[in-house]
Amino acid sequence: MSIPQQPGPTPVTSPGGSQPASGPRDVLGAAAQPAGVGAFDEHHPPSAELVADCVHCGFCLPTCPTYVLWGEEMDSPRGRIYLMKQGLEGEPLADSMVTHFDRCLGCMSCMTACPSGVQYDRLIEATRQQVERRHRRGPRDRALRAAIFALFPYRRRLRLLRGPLRAYQATGLARLIRRSGLLRRLAPTLAAVESLAPRLGRAARPPERVAAVGTRRAVVGMLTGCVQGAFFPEVNAATARVLAAEGCEVVILPDRQGCCGALSVHNGREEEARRFARRMVDTFAAAGIDYFVVNAAGCGSTLKEYGDLLRDDPRYAALAADFAGRVRDLSEVLVELGQVATRHPLPVTVAYHDACHLAHAQGVRAQPRRLLRDIPGLELREIADPEICCGSAGIWNILHPGPAAELGDRKARTVLATGARLLVTANPGCLMQVAASVTRAGGDIALAHTAQVLDASIRGRGVEELLHQRTPS
């Protein structure tokens, strides 16, 4: 892949030298404000030291989804870092600046590509907190975000949707509406949400605990999650069975768990995220766990950052740091413990999709592939351009349905090009986004979480059970 080496943006200068012609100006041409009246307040603004780590080399550009879509400098990581620098130097938090920050998916692909080790995750999260505190959005955007955050972080509210959604799917109305295209023309945001809904079956309530099979090797907590728990309960069930088969006593405590705060963190809602984090720490404080296991990539990324999220809380800072140190993705803990459960053959071709918050934010790439390759008969195929996000990115595909669909269509083409019969990934958002995109492309492929594939192999259930999980028509 060729790497475009483009110069970084430079401020407007006077004809005779390097000083700005009429006071500091940002790349958008907006006049800067005096010190202290700029884009950011004093509560954890983006770090000037971390901003300075960016040397504008351009290695991030071909891996950034929005730069790939639009080729716009300010919609690239280095462009956004430049805007952060301008904000630190006094530029106001203008609508145009906020737009470029909002367009970032937060996929962190740039961090994998960056040779300088720029901590873009810390920069964009700090910036988004500033945006949420200091910028007033338009009425439509405020209403949409309010609706999203009144629903998605609350699993009981999500569960209330299961009955109506199952009825809607069973009547065939969903198929009719999707084929007509009417909803997409009249209400594209609602159409995006509708297209993402997975086909629902019956959901059993998770147990409080699951005993280890054979000798107990570890005691692990397990996140049930909001979207995962409401729409993919079978993934949680498979996760618990796999952990138990590998000698783990699994502590779930489903009635006490709440949201982990990932959606809130990734969208700048700091106090809300801190509230969720405190509750999660309290829930498992006395459970005696060795690890806290997560099967949703975006959640795992946030849970590993609890120490940073609660660093200013004198009561919780040390507790949160200790909790974060125990967090593992399912694939990580299985590789760390080593295999004891027998794997039965699964003769199937699998395309593995790297969830961004697993591969880029957590650096977990080898472990899922190792686990899949250890299954007899399974053939693993790689997807082209794996660094490019599928367009899910938490709630980004709801806030930006058009660009998200473009990224999803691109991902669907690369997935289908593998010729695999089964797509495997480790994040519920990716499962929904890729399923919707494959359906739009007229393709047909089964989808499963990594836990479900491992579970089928350990239990000797055969490949047909996995291949039954098709994309919705």
Side-chain angles (χ1 to χ4, degrees):
M1 178 183 294
S2 62
I3 307 295
Q5 300 292 318
Q6 301 185 18
T10 55
V12 177
T13 59
S14 64
S18 60
Q19 297 301 313
S22 56
R25 303 179 68 84
D26 76 354
V27 73
L28 303 176
Q33 301 298 304
V37 194
F40 309 129
D41 61 31
E42 295 181 356
H43 179 67
H44 299 311
S47 164
E49 290 78 13
L50 297 185
V51 165
D53 287 340
C54 177
V55 298
H56 310 295
C57 66
F59 275 73
C60 61
L61 300 184
T63 70
C64 174
T66 49
Y67 187 83
V68 167
L69 284 179
W70 304 315
E72 168 63 47
E73 178 68 28
M74 292 301 103
D75 287 318
S76 73
R78 74 175 181 186
R80 293 184 182 105
I81 290 173
Y82 187 77
L83 292 178
M84 295 171 197
K85 179 175 182 290
Q86 293 291 289
L88 289 168
E89 293 173 350
E91 282 295 330
L93 195 61
D95 289 347
S96 55
M97 185 184 288
V98 170
T99 295
H100 293 301
F101 293 144
D102 281 352
R103 285 177 177 170
C104 174
L105 285 82
C107 69
M108 308 307 165
S109 182
C110 55
M111 292 178 61
T112 298
C114 180
S116 301
V118 174
Q119 297 179 60
Y120 183 79
D121 55 346
R122 294 181 61 186
L123 289 171
I124 193 64
E125 286 182 5
T127 300
R128 283 183 162 150
Q129 291 173 12
Q130 296 282 335
V131 168
E132 290 308 298
R133 284 198 302 272
R134 295 174 55 80
H135 178 73
R136 183 166 176 81
R137 300 182 183 278
R140 182 185 178 279
D141 196 10
R142 289 202 307 273
L144 177 57
R145 288 171 184 264
I148 288 170
F149 284 97
L151 175 63
F152 284 101
Y154 301 96
R155 57 189 179 86
R156 288 184 178 88
R157 299 174 192 177
L158 284 173
R159 282 206 303 264
L160 291 175
L161 293 179
R162 285 185 55 87
L165 184 55
R166 285 187 68 192
Y168 169 72
Q169 293 172 343
T171 61
L173 187 58
R175 187 180 299 107
L176 179 64
I177 287 178
R178 289 177 182 176
R179 289 179 177 174
S180 72
L182 185 63
L183 190 61
R184 188 169 59 252
R185 292 192 294 272
L186 297 179
T189 299
L190 184 58
V193 175
E194 190 278 337
S195 71
L196 294 170
R199 188 169 300 280
L200 300 178
R202 294 188 178 276
R205 181 185 177 280
E208 289 286 308
R209 289 175 177 261
V210 178
V213 176
T215 302
R216 190 179 77 178
R217 306 165 70 203
V219 178
V220 303
M222 191 189 93
L223 182 74
T224 54
C226 303
V227 171
Q228 191 84 289
F231 296 138
F232 296 94
E234 66 278 6
V235 173
N236 283 339
T239 300
R241 286 193 297 265
V242 169
L243 287 167
E246 294 292 5
C248 298
E249 179 182 345
V250 187
V251 182
I252 303 176
L253 309 177
D255 292 336
R256 294 168 57 188
Q257 283 200 44
C259 179
C260 70
L263 284 182
S264 304
V265 166
H266 299 154
N267 289 275
R269 300 166 69 94
E270 181 186 19
E271 284 308 312
E272 183 178 75
R274 285 160 61 93
R275 186 172 71 251
F276 288 139
R278 292 186 193 102
R279 177 178 174 180
M280 186 66 72
V281 170
D282 286 342
T283 296
F284 288 92
I289 59 173
D290 302 305
Y291 302 102
F292 188 75
V293 178
V294 188
N295 58 17
C299 299
S301 173
T302 292
L303 286 155
K304 289 179 177 181
E305 296 172 357
Y306 269 12
D308 185 60
L309 180 62
L310 295 176
R311 64 190 182 279
D312 296 332
D313 189 323
R315 180 182 171 191
Y316 280 90
L319 292 171
D322 178 74
F323 181 89
R326 299 174 191 272
V327 175
R328 301 287 191 279
D329 180 70
L330 172 65
S331 64
E332 287 183 293
V333 78
L334 293 178
V335 169
E336 284 185 40
L337 290 174
Q339 176 183 324
V340 295
T342 301
R343 273 33 172 190
H344 298 92
L346 285 177
V348 64
T349 50
V350 166
Y352 178 75
H353 165 64
D354 281 299
C356 292
H357 273 89
L358 190 60
H360 303 306
Q362 299 182 58
V364 177
R365 300 179 187 82
Q367 295 93 324
R369 288 173 169 83
R370 174 176 168 180
L371 293 170
L372 292 171
R373 288 193 175 104
D374 283 346
I375 296 174
L378 188 149
E379 178 190 338
L380 191 61
R381 297 181 180 178
E382 295 293 338
I383 300 170
D385 300 325
E387 71 280 359
I388 300 296
C389 182
C390 67
S392 173
I395 60 170
W396 198 87
N397 52 358
I398 300 175
L399 297 173
H400 307 277
E406 289 185 62
L407 291 169
D409 293 344
R410 175 188 177 115
K411 184 63 68 175
R413 288 193 295 271
T414 57
V415 167
L416 294 172
T418 65
R421 299 178 69 195
L422 179 66
L423 174 71
V424 176
T425 190
N427 196 55
C430 298
L431 284 170
M432 293 187 288
Q433 174 76 356
V434 176
S437 303
V438 167
T439 298
R440 275 197 308 274
D444 182 34
I445 190 170
L447 296 99
H449 190 283
T450 313
Q452 293 173 290
V453 180
L454 295 171
D455 182 49
S457 176
I458 290 171
R459 298 168 73 199
R461 298 299 291 263
V463 74
E464 290 307 317
E465 181 175 300
L466 292 170
L467 296 179
H468 180 68
Q469 302 173 77
R470 316 302 297 179
T471 54
S473 58

